[in-house]
Amino acid sequence: MKNVLIVGIGAGNPEHMTVQAINALNHADVLFIPTKGDAKAQLADIRRDIVSRYVAKPQSRVVEFEIPVRQTAERSYNQSVDQWHAAIASAYERLLTDELRAGQTGAFLVWGDPMLYDSTIRIIERVRALETVAFDYSVIPGITSIQALAASHRIPLNLVGKPVEITTGRRLHGSFPEKTETAVVMLDGEQAFMKIEDPDARIYWGAYLGTEQEIIISGRLAEVRDEVLKTRAEARARHGWIMDIYLLQKGRDFEE
Ligand SMILES: C[S@@+](CC[C@H](N)C(=O)[O-])C[C@H]1O[C@@H](n2cnc3c(N)ncnc32)[C@H](O)[C@@H]1O
């Protein structure tokens, strides 16, 4: 039987790596590193840095593979993601068939934690369902970008006794501030915070968290949103890519 480890590596700072994650990488025979094209080359570099810092097993090897690009033309969002996952599942199937021998362990280095807006677990389940390569797998948790954001801003995530919604830019509309007092927004390519008109709303924004380029801005949304928009656009142009996340909140602790 082959074995797969899905290892959360933290959200940008190599020191996010847990002892469990370091031990998992050192247990693996093959370390799979995804590459996503030139713009996001830094993300592959951070994974390479993690391997060279923490992996001390001379006989293990790194296998880099290209993640297929998601096709969006003439498809609904769900169709597009489903087809994309199928393409990645084929790539994983090839890796597990060609790069791992029976009895060997392969590790996928997953950004942040594998349970948060990441499909490695569901794609690995898809590969298992194909029944073309037999393997078992385990998941090792990691520090998420939500934790990195809260730590950098030195804030608790929730108001006392209150819930938190985790959502995407596409889904923010109608959620905050109508339905939830605290929303974490990820994967926001449209800067959905610009459409929120609530005088009480605060934003805690962060980009490239945990890396040398980290930028954070916080304050009353109405007062800082133009600054966030401008800073984001400038940083994106300077680096050629951006990853950002933010918390929107209204109300106060102990208010009903
Ligand atoms: C595909 S999701 C992966 C999330 C990841 N599994 C996690 O645990 O954080 C990518 C989104 O996570 C957020 N993100 C991840 N790392 C980040 C970082 N270092 N700085 C800011 N946002 C980050 C951004 O919202 C980005 O669009």
Side-chain angles (χ1 to χ4, degrees):
M1 183 75 108
K2 301 180 182 184
N3 195 31
V4 169
L5 300 171
I6 301 177
V7 183
I9 60 164
N13 184 340
E15 293 186 3
H16 287 171
M17 284 285 289
T18 65
V19 175
Q20 191 187 10
I22 293 171
N23 288 341
L25 295 192
N26 277 291
H27 181 73
D29 302 288
V30 182
L31 302 155
F32 296 118
I33 295 194
T35 56
K36 288 187 175 176
D38 286 349
K40 289 196 171 174
Q42 196 187 345
L43 301 184
D45 285 345
I46 290 172
R47 287 178 168 90
R48 289 184 198 110
D49 178 25
I50 283 172
V51 170
S52 67
R53 271 187 201 218
Y54 299 117
V55 177
K57 183 172 170 179
Q59 66 274 33
S60 69
R61 58 196 183 90
V62 170
V63 171
E64 301 205 357
F65 67 102
E66 231 172 275
I67 295 274
V69 177
R70 181 158 75 90
Q71 306 297 326
T72 51
E74 291 160 27
R75 298 161 175 86
S76 69
Y77 177 77
N78 281 342
Q79 276 171 341
S80 148
V81 173
D82 186 42
Q83 289 168 4
W84 185 45
H85 285 182
I88 302 175
S90 301
Y92 283 11
E93 182 194 21
R94 271 197 308 280
L95 290 174
L96 301 187
T97 306
D98 298 347
E99 304 290 351
L100 279 187
R101 291 197 306 274
Q104 284 196 319
T105 297
F108 286 91
L109 281 71
V110 175
W111 198 259
D113 187 293
M115 59 83 206
L116 184 67
Y117 286 109
D118 185 278
S119 288
T120 309
I121 297 174
R122 35 178 93 81
I123 294 170
I124 280 290
E125 278 295 339
R126 230 167 147 137
V127 179
R128 258 160 57 115
L130 297 172
E131 295 187 353
T132 49
V133 48
F135 65 94
D136 199 2
Y137 76 97
S138 338
V139 177
I140 288 78
I143 301 280
T144 68
S145 51
I146 300 180
Q147 290 159 287
L149 177 75
S152 286
H153 283 285
R154 305 188 303 180
I155 49 165
L157 189 62
N158 57 291
L159 295 171
V160 171
K162 296 283 183 66
V164 174
E165 178 164 332
I166 301 173
T167 189
T168 63
R170 288 176 67 235
R171 299 271 182 183
L172 181 63
H173 179 68
S175 165
F176 178 91
E178 292 83 7
K179 291 202 181 127
T180 181
E181 284 171 304
T182 302
V184 177
V185 186
M186 306 177 64
L187 292 161
D188 184 2
E190 54 198 77
Q191 292 74 67
F193 59 85
M194 290 303 285
K195 297 194 187 120
I196 307 279
E197 299 295 344
D198 187 302
D200 187 32
R202 300 180 300 283
I203 185 168
Y204 299 88
W205 176 81
Y208 316 101
L209 292 162
T211 73
E212 281 166 10
Q213 296 102 315
E214 174 170 316
I215 318 169
I216 57 170
I217 296 175
S218 64
R220 199 165 284 283
L221 180 61
E223 287 162 14
V224 300
R225 65 177 167 196
D226 288 343
E227 182 191 346
V228 172
L229 194 69
K230 184 162 172 275
T231 306
R232 188 185 188 282
E234 283 170 1
R236 185 170 187 220
R238 197 164 55 249
H239 300 304
W241 67 286
I242 192 159
M243 249 190 346
D244 64 332
I245 178 170
Y246 52 93
L247 178 80
L248 293 170
Q249 198 160 61
K250 62 175 289 182
R252 296 280 180 280
D253 279 337
F254 308 113
E255 270 177 14
E256 271 315 310

